[in-house]
Amino acid sequence: MLRELNTFAVVAQEGTFAAAGQKIGLTQAAVSAQMQRLETELGITLFDRSGRAAKLNRQGQQLLPEIQALLRQFQQLGNKPQAPALKPQLTLGAIVSIQRTLLPQVLLRFHRHNTRFRTRVVPGMSFDLINQVDADELDLAVVIKPPFSLANELTWTPLLQEPYQLLVPRQLANASPIELMSQQPFIRYEHTSFGGRQVDRYLREQGIDVNEVCEIDELDTLVTLVAKGLGVAIVPQTLSWRRWPAAVTALDLGEQRFYRQLGLVHKADKAQAEVLAELKQHFVAELKKAAPADTDTA
């Protein structure tokens, strides 16, 4: 049908079957046969025929603009500009405290210096994010250092150490930390998380039995509960808590002080080694500006 439509347009332009045939390399008989097939397919007569002469009739003239438009659309099918190819994507994982503090500035810095990549951020707990890096679902993740050895294929880059402190309602600030943990209601940092496991280990090593009233993984909520007077809690001083709320006091754990270590984990043989190294540099640079004075950075 497309061939017949094209021949019809040439006939309309040249005026006769013979002239159209000469232009497209067909005999007059072949042109005539194509036009007969076209008329049969459309179910209408397109030409007024008189002997060997043929002239577009009224129906043919009315149909001509539609056929010309259809032919133009067909010709443009292969000439449409292709959509620009998507930039390669870096998929980053990050725990909540990093997403709320360090990550926005790192991404801003990265995209200002590197226009070759786009990024996607995946939230999660440290254990899950490490597994996703190992499974090649993430290129890099910012996590709490696990209490076990990483797989040989994974590389660990330390970023900072956040000190754990005993957070208590302000009116209890002058009491002994040991007595407070033993006697006051205790809000537990979720025990299956890497950070929560550190708290559990500390309590076991110190032989402290706590009166647990609540267990929660969200640190901001935990701090709020202490500020509201629900109990005391052992929490890390994260970047988002450079200053504790006025309603709470943070007590140092003294010689038993311990830390939550945060760092970057990625595959050692990752193809994007160069750009991952660039990302690590941005994390370190932003961390130096963001870390509290008493936070240890790598």
Side-chain angles (χ1 to χ4, degrees):
M1 177 67 76
L2 182 64
R3 180 175 57 180
E4 284 77 6
L5 292 175
N6 185 66
T7 300
F8 173 81
V10 176
V11 171
Q13 180 180 12
E14 298 298 322
T16 66
F17 287 177
Q22 290 179 356
K23 185 165 185 177
I24 59 180
L26 294 176
T27 65
Q28 180 178 336
V31 172
S32 179
Q34 285 190 19
M35 295 303 93
Q36 288 177 357
R37 287 197 298 271
L38 180 61
E39 289 175 323
T40 300
E41 289 289 334
L42 295 177
I44 58 176
T45 300
L46 301 173
F47 298 92
D48 290 332
R49 292 174 174 83
S50 177
R52 294 188 176 183
K55 182 180 179 181
L56 277 178
N57 61 19
R58 185 175 179 181
Q59 289 179 311
Q61 292 172 352
Q62 290 176 342
L63 195 61
L64 177 62
E66 296 181 35
I67 291 178
Q68 290 173 329
L70 183 63
L71 291 171
R72 285 195 298 271
Q73 290 178 0
F74 180 80
Q75 292 171 351
Q76 294 171 1
L77 287 178
N79 299 324
K80 289 184 178 180
Q82 295 183 349
L86 289 175
K87 298 177 181 179
Q89 176 176 275
L90 288 176
T91 308
L92 314 176
I95 59 175
V96 172
S97 63
I98 291 297
Q99 286 201 58
R100 291 179 176 176
T101 54
L102 196 61
L103 190 59
Q105 284 301 120
V106 169
L107 291 177
L108 182 62
R109 186 185 182 103
F110 173 75
H111 285 294
R112 282 177 173 172
H113 289 80
N114 193 318
T115 59
R116 296 175 295 133
F117 289 86
R118 56 195 174 102
T119 54
R120 173 174 173 255
V121 178
V122 176
M125 296 180 65
S126 295
F127 182 79
D128 296 329
L129 295 176
I130 291 173
N131 285 338
Q132 289 178 67
V133 173
D134 194 32
D136 288 323
E137 297 171 3
L138 297 177
D139 295 301
L140 177 146
V142 190
V143 298
I144 303 170
K145 186 176 183 180
F148 51 78
S149 298
L150 292 171
N152 292 333
E153 296 81 9
L154 299 180
T155 295
W156 172 261
T157 302
L159 285 178
L160 75 158
Q161 293 189 129
E162 296 174 332
Y164 280 85
Q165 297 176 323
L166 178 63
L167 209 61
V168 304
R170 188 173 183 179
Q171 63 270 24
L172 301 177
N174 296 324
S176 161
I178 299 297
E179 291 179 359
L180 290 172
M181 284 183 277
S182 302
Q183 299 173 6
Q184 292 294 318
F186 189 80
I187 307 170
R188 185 182 294 275
Y189 187 1
E190 209 278 322
H191 75 281
T192 62
S193 67
F194 291 164
R197 293 185 197 182
Q198 289 181 279
V199 173
D200 283 355
R201 183 169 60 250
Y202 167 82
L203 294 174
R204 288 195 306 271
E205 291 175 351
Q206 302 304 312
I208 301 173
D209 293 324
V210 297
N211 174 24
E212 181 180 320
V213 293
C214 182
E215 180 176 355
I216 192 166
D217 180 62
E218 175 54 61
L219 291 176
D220 287 356
T221 304
L222 195 154
V223 173
T224 300
L225 290 176
V226 175
K228 297 292 185 181
L230 180 63
V232 302
I234 299 177
V235 296
Q237 186 174 19
T238 65
L239 293 176
S240 59
W241 288 110
R242 300 184 189 185
R243 295 181 181 178
W244 296 111
V248 306
T249 297
L251 302 180
D252 191 86
L253 297 177
E255 295 181 358
Q256 285 72 43
R257 191 183 201 191
F258 60 106
Y259 297 82
R260 182 176 84 159
Q261 187 177 79
L262 273 64
L264 306 173
V265 61
H266 62 87
K267 280 287 184 72
D269 60 347
K270 201 68 180 176
Q272 306 100 321
E274 181 178 342
V275 71
L276 290 181
E278 179 184 342
L279 262 173
K280 290 197 283 189
Q281 291 176 357
H282 293 320
F283 270 106
V284 172
E286 288 301 323
L287 183 61
K288 289 180 178 178
K289 297 191 297 183
D294 61 344
T295 299
D296 296 326
T297 60

